Every structure is written in structure tokens, then in C-alpha cells.
């Protein structure tokens, strides 16, 4: 089911939480809404679900205007961060619940068969008789997903479903969710403030800021071509250096890089830790190493420039470096944005 948001707006009292968001989600696509806290992700998701009314604009499900269709008739399944399972019901009863209260009447045997099928899908075979308190947090979220899927939703809405889980479990569940999505092909909107989660999971990432979309694209597009300093910063660690543009070249300390489409004047140069390197001879930005942090896959170096800017960059694990060394930070690549 294709979903189209057309200039949707939401105001709480006098506060405009969503400011004219237009977005198309193709049938079978997995889209992540990504943005800092308060950027409007949950409000947008709740409007798609029908849990919140849009003050302006329209939401289409396929060719149908869904703006006024009530929640239970929208055919959406949800999983929320704290979408508590019913504690007094077993896992199987929790999964069956939606089918029992649905307008679509099902035979008891059909419900039981579907529960077994869903338990297999979310890889919890054999745990149907446990109560929620007797399974782990990650398993509970899998039950929540099975419950959401039980009524064959046309659209799946996930709001930080792994937010409360620890990093390793999150990592495993991401891969698992991606596999399930591939298998079922349900149009899915996933809300997260975790960049890595959005980039790992989604076909397309929609980046929000203060209730508006600032950029959208495949993970590759947004990572390789951030269109603003906000997106560059938000997507991950970024070093920021003051720069000066002269005739299509950005100068920062003793380093320079092409910046063809930017007018002469002040600018900021953004570089990820992997975009910088270290050399004992210039040209480059003269700097002193403050600390070397050893990690399983390499070394992260913290350095300060002569003007006091702090920089972080990555080098191979075998590179000999220590705090107090002096040298030059060089640029492999960088993005330049006018100030
Ligand atoms: P988070 O990552 O923290 O969940 P979010 O991007 O999902 O944030 P929303 O929950 O959509 O953001 O909130 C957007 C803005 O709307 C916030 O400033 C929030 O305080 C405000 N807001 C949300 N719901 C309400 C409400 N019921 N009443 C008043 N203001 C609200």
C-alpha cells in the first residue's frame, strides 16, 4: 500500500509541531523518519496511524484519502517503544488478541494456526505459553511485532521499537526486522533518533528538523551528499573548522580543498574522522596530539590545532603515534558550507 502525505500540519496549542510535510512512501518500502528529539517524528507517525488528527493537509493510503478514516479501519499495525504487552496474558494470547477483537471474524482454529505461524516468523517457537515477565525485552518486542502483524496490516508503523534495549540486542533485532520486512514486503515507517539504526535498516531515510523535512534519500545519498551543515552534523561525528573561500578554494589553517560552488567569504569545513589524516610534514593544519584511543578496529586520535580547534580522526591500528606528538592534520575530503 502506497502512502502519500500532502502538506500535513499539526499544531499543539500555539506550537507548530509539524510544518507542511509532504512525503511519498512506495508500496513495500521501509522508510525511516530520523531527527532529533522534538522534530515531529512521532507526531507524523501518529497522524498516519489515525491516532492524531492533522490540522491541515491530507494523508492518502493508496488512492483513498485516509485523513478521516478512524484508526481501526486504517489497516495499520503498530509497535511502540513501550507498547506494553498484556501482562496477565501468555505470549500466544497476546498475539491472538488483535484477531479476537477484530471486525474480521476468525474461527478459533484459524487463530491458533496463525499464532503458531507468527511465533515461527518472529522466531519464538515454543514460547507461546510464557507470560511477558518470563521473556527478555528483545523477545517482548518480537511478540509486539507478531501482535501487530496478526491482523495482516497494510502498513506497519514502528516508533523506536528497540529504543529501550541494549546495543547488542538492538543490533540483532535490526537485522532480524530487515529480514522480516524482506519476507513480508509490508510498507513500513520506522521512527528513530538513532542515525545508525536508520541507515542500517531503511530503504530511504527522511531527516526532520523542527517539524519539516530537511533532506531525504537512500542511506548512500544522505551520507555521501548531505545538503546542509545540520544533516552533516546529525548523521555522525563531524569535525568543524572555520574556513575562508577564495576563488573556489576553501582554506582552513594550512589545508585547502576545492569548494567550487561557494561564494568568496567565510565558511565552515566539515570532515568526518575518516576524512582526516596525519602527516609529519605539511602542508596541513598544524596540530598536537592530545590522546590516542585504541579501539578493536583502529585508533581514534584526538588533536588540537594551533588556534585551539579540537579534531578527531582515525588511523590504522599499527600507526605509531602518542600524545604530545606534533605534526599536520591533512584533508582527504571535506564538505564546505557557507556560514
Ligand atoms: P522524540 O524523538 O523525543 O520522541 P519526536 O521527533 O518524535 O521526538 P514529537 O513527539 O513528534 O517529536 O513532538 C514534536 C513536538 O511537538 C515536540 O516539541 C513536542 O513537545 C510537541 N508535542 C508532541 N505531542 C504534544 C502534545 N500532545 N501536546 C503538546 N505538545 C506536543
Amino acid at each position: 500500500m502506497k502512502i502519500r502525505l500532502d502538506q500535513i500540519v499539526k499544531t499543539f496549542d500555539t506550537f507548530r509541531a509539524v510544518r507542511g510535510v509532504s512525503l511519498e512512501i512506495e508500496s513495500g518500502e521501509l522508510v525511516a523518519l530520523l531527527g532529533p528529539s522534538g522534530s515531529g517524528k512521532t507526531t507524523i507517525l501518529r497522524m498516519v496511524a489515525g491516532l492524531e488528527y492533522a490540522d491541515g493537509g491530507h494523508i492518502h493510503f493508496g488512492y483513498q484519502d485516509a485523513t478521516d478514516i478512524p484508526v481501526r479501519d486504517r489497516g495499520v499495525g503498530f509497535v511502540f517503544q513501550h507498547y506494553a504487552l498484556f501482562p496477565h496474558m501468555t505470549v500466544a494470547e497476546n498475539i491472538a488478541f488483535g484477531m479476537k477483537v477484530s471486525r474480521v471474524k476468525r474461527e478459533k482454529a484459524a487463530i491458533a494456526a496463525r499464532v503458531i505461524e507468527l511465533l515461527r516468523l518472529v522466531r519464538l517457537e515454543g514460547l507461546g505459553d510464557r507470560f511477558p515477565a518470563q521473556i527478555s525485552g528483545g523477545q517482548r518486542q518480537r511478540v509486539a511485532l507478531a501482535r501487530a502483524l496478526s491482523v495482516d496490516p497494510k502498513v506497519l508503523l514502528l516508533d523506536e521499537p528497540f529504543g529501550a534495549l541494549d546495543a547488542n540486542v538492538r543490533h540483532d533485532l535490526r537485522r532480524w526486522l530487515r529480514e522480516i520486512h524482506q519476507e513480508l514486503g509490508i510498507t513500513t515507517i520506522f521512527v528513530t533518533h538513532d542515525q545508525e539504526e536508520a541507515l542500517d535498516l531503511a530503504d530511504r531515510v527522511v531527516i526532520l528538523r523542527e517539524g519539516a523535512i530537511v533532506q531525504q534519500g537512500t542511506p548512500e545519498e544522505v551520507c555521501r551528499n548531505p545538503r546542509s551543515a545540520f544533516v552533516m552534523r546529525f548523521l555522525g561525528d563531524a569535525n568543524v573548522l572555520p574556513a575562508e573561500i577564495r576563488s573556489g578554494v576553501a582554506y582552513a589553517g594550512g589545508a585547502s580543498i576545492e569548494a567550487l560552488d561557494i561564494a568568496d567569504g567565510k565558511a565552515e569545513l566539515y570532515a568526518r574522522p575518516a576524512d582526516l589524516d596525519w602527516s609529519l610534514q605539511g602542508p596541513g593544519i598544524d596540530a598536537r596530539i592530545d590522546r590516542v584511543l585504541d579501539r578493536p578496529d583502529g585508533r581514534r586520535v584526538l588533536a588540537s590545532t594551533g588556534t585551539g580547534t579540537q579534531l578527531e580522526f582515525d588511523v590504522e591500528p599499527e600507526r605509531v603515534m602518542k600524545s604530545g606528538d606534533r605534526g599536520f592534520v591533512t584533508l582527504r575530503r571535506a564538505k564546505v558550507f557557507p556560514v
Side-chain angles (χ1 to χ4, degrees):
M1 166 82 67
K2 179 174 173 162
I3 301 173
R4 186 156 58 84
L5 311 185
D6 189 10
Q7 287 294 322
I8 57 165
V9 170
K10 180 72 193 175
T11 309
F12 292 109
D13 301 321
T14 55
F15 178 70
R16 183 62 61 98
V18 177
R19 304 160 182 257
V21 164
S22 295
L23 179 62
E24 285 195 15
I25 296 154
E26 296 301 328
S27 184
E29 204 181 8
L30 197 168
V31 166
L33 302 183
L34 173 68
S37 183
S39 55
K41 308 178 294 289
T42 295
T43 307
I44 294 171
L45 202 75
R46 288 173 61 81
M47 287 192 280
V48 175
L51 294 168
E52 200 83 73
Y53 276 108
D55 301 323
H58 290 272
I59 297 171
H60 288 88
F61 278 26
Y63 293 107
Q64 197 178 16
D65 189 337
T67 319
D68 295 320
I69 298 178
V71 186
R72 64 178 296 180
D73 297 326
R74 286 199 186 195
V76 295
F78 322 92
V79 181
F80 297 125
Q81 184 176 341
H82 297 292
Y83 197 26
L85 301 174
F86 300 116
H88 57 286
M89 289 185 190
T90 64
V91 163
E93 287 164 350
N94 265 284
I95 296 173
F97 180 79
M99 290 184 277
K100 286 187 178 153
V101 298
S102 160
R103 286 187 197 182
V104 182
K105 292 293 160 231
R106 294 171 173 86
E107 297 288 328
K108 249 183 166 174
I111 294 179
R114 179 84 176 124
V115 168
I116 289 172
E117 194 183 309
L118 285 161
L119 281 169
R120 193 176 318 120
L121 179 77
V122 301
R123 299 199 198 123
L124 292 176
E125 298 105 318
L127 296 190
D129 292 333
R130 298 242 188 125
F131 286 91
Q134 298 171 319
I135 57 176
S136 72
Q139 288 172 333
R140 260 178 249 150
Q141 286 308 75
R142 292 200 234 166
V143 175
L145 183 71
R147 183 168 67 176
L149 292 171
S150 70
V151 290
D152 298 317
K154 291 174 285 191
V155 175
L156 192 58
L157 305 176
L158 310 170
D159 192 353
E160 305 252 5
F162 311 142
L165 306 171
D166 74 45
N168 283 339
V169 178
R170 286 179 83 122
H171 199 265
D172 290 347
L173 285 183
R174 255 182 239 168
R175 180 167 284 199
W176 166 84
L177 181 65
R178 188 69 228 181
E179 283 168 15
I180 291 214
H181 179 261
Q182 231 133 19
E183 192 172 330
L184 303 179
I186 301 179
T187 310
T188 303
I189 310 181
F190 185 97
V191 160
T192 181
H193 63 264
D194 180 331
Q195 305 79 345
E196 198 180 285
E197 191 155 275
L199 296 169
D200 279 9
L201 254 175
D203 298 313
R204 192 151 50 96
V205 179
V206 176
I207 303 168
L208 290 146
R209 181 188 194 185
E210 295 172 4
I213 295 175
V214 288
Q215 188 168 352
Q216 58 174 302
T218 62
E220 184 182 4
E221 283 162 357
V222 297
C223 285
R224 299 287 87 83
N225 199 12
R227 284 210 300 262
S228 61
F230 171 81
V231 172
M232 180 80 191
R233 274 182 203 263
F234 187 69
L235 286 181
D237 296 339
N239 294 285
V240 188
L241 284 157
E244 179 84 26
I245 310 286
R246 275 178 266 130
S247 311
V249 179
Y251 296 90
S256 60
I257 197 157
E258 212 171 60
L260 287 178
D261 299 326
I262 304 179
D264 284 6
K266 288 199 185 311
E268 278 179 337
L269 191 149
Y270 286 76
R272 305 241 178 254
D275 297 339
L276 302 179
D277 202 358
W278 180 252
S279 133
L280 293 177
Q281 283 99 36
I285 305 157
D286 73 295
R288 175 182 182 280
I289 294 174
D290 298 325
R291 285 186 74 194
V292 179
L293 311 177
D294 280 296
R295 295 178 168 180
D297 53 354
R299 311 188 95 179
R300 168 70 55 99
V301 182
L302 315 187
S304 301
T305 70
T307 55
T309 304
Q310 294 188 320
L311 299 175
E312 294 193 13
F313 56 94
D314 294 331
V315 295
E316 319 79 74
E318 55 279 359
R319 190 84 80 88
V320 181
M321 303 180 90
K322 60 179 188 321
S323 54
D325 285 358
R326 290 193 158 275
F328 297 87
V329 174
T330 58
L331 295 176
R332 289 198 173 104
R333 63 186 88 78
K335 295 275 175 205
V336 184
F337 297 103
V339 178

